[in-house]
Amino acid sequence: MTATEGLLVPPGHGRVVQTPAQRVTFKVTGTHSRTASTFEVEVPPGFDVGAHVHTRSEELFYVLDGELDVLAFEPRIRTPDNWQTWESGSGGRVVRATPGTVIVVPPGCPHAFANPTDAPAKMFFQASPPPDHERYFEELLEILGNDGAPDHTAIGELRARYDIEQLTPLRHR
């Protein structure tokens, strides 16, 4: 790609990384953009990314299909197990995001998403700066691809390498 050419990724195209816990399609990577990596993420029923925070990354989520419970605020109290009950200092609570909902997460803001329904959800996800989330997704999906319960120690080590402080556990059915 030269400076006079853009990038066009048709529907259904992009590199796919998939496990039973999640399917991520890389749409725009650090190879194509200096500002952000972009993904289409399919979130299966029962998946909970767990509340976490980044000190450097900014993220944007746009719900395309289905429903997700989402969090994007600093809670009054960071309980270690269930972010769905958190409340912000101004009284904000977790929101049920439906198609068309946009969530912007600045650096330092705790955030999470989970699919509490029986149907898959799909979202557009953008992370800045690239390519940290590309590498993170590849390694996380490799860990989640193993049979059995997630290896929380391996996930913790991975997240520490990619500026992710895990506040509550990642879970999936």
Side-chain angles (χ1 to χ4, degrees):
M1 184 168 85
T2 66
T4 58
E5 285 185 36
L7 173 69
L8 176 79
V9 182
H13 287 77
R15 187 165 64 88
V16 175
V17 182
Q18 182 171 355
T19 70
Q22 205 171 28
R23 176 184 167 97
V24 177
T25 303
F26 290 52
K27 295 294 189 173
V28 180
T29 66
T31 302
H32 303 103
S33 173
R34 295 182 311 245
T35 58
S37 299
T38 304
F39 314 92
E40 185 177 88
V41 179
E42 294 178 26
V43 184
F47 183 84
D48 176 353
V49 73
H52 58 282
V53 65
H54 313 281
T55 59
R56 296 184 308 270
S57 294
E58 179 173 282
E59 297 177 335
L60 178 141
F61 302 91
Y62 182 89
V63 179
L64 298 167
D65 191 36
E67 297 181 357
L68 295 169
D69 285 347
V70 296
L71 162 83
F73 58 77
E74 179 64 54
R76 289 181 183 167
I77 300 170
R78 289 184 179 183
T79 55
D81 192 51
N82 186 4
W83 60 266
Q84 285 92 342
T85 62
W86 288 4
E87 183 178 331
S88 74
S90 64
R93 294 192 169 272
V94 170
V95 172
R96 177 67 53 97
T98 57
T101 302
V102 174
I103 304 99
V104 177
V105 182
C109 178
H111 56 287
F113 62 86
N115 183 348
T117 73
D118 291 327
K122 188 182 289 187
M123 68 179 168
F124 171 91
F125 169 58
Q126 191 169 54
S128 178
D132 283 1
H133 262 76
E134 298 161 36
R135 294 180 185 138
Y136 169 73
F137 272 136
E138 290 168 339
E139 293 181 44
L140 175 64
L141 293 174
E142 189 174 301
I143 292 169
L144 295 177
N146 298 328
D147 292 335
D151 180 343
H152 293 292
T153 301
I155 291 170
E157 292 168 359
L158 172 68
R159 287 182 170 209
R161 284 197 314 273
Y162 288 104
D163 181 39
I164 302 169
E165 179 187 352
Q166 191 69 28
L167 306 175
T168 66
L170 180 147
R171 296 182 173 103
H172 72 94
R173 289 184 194 159

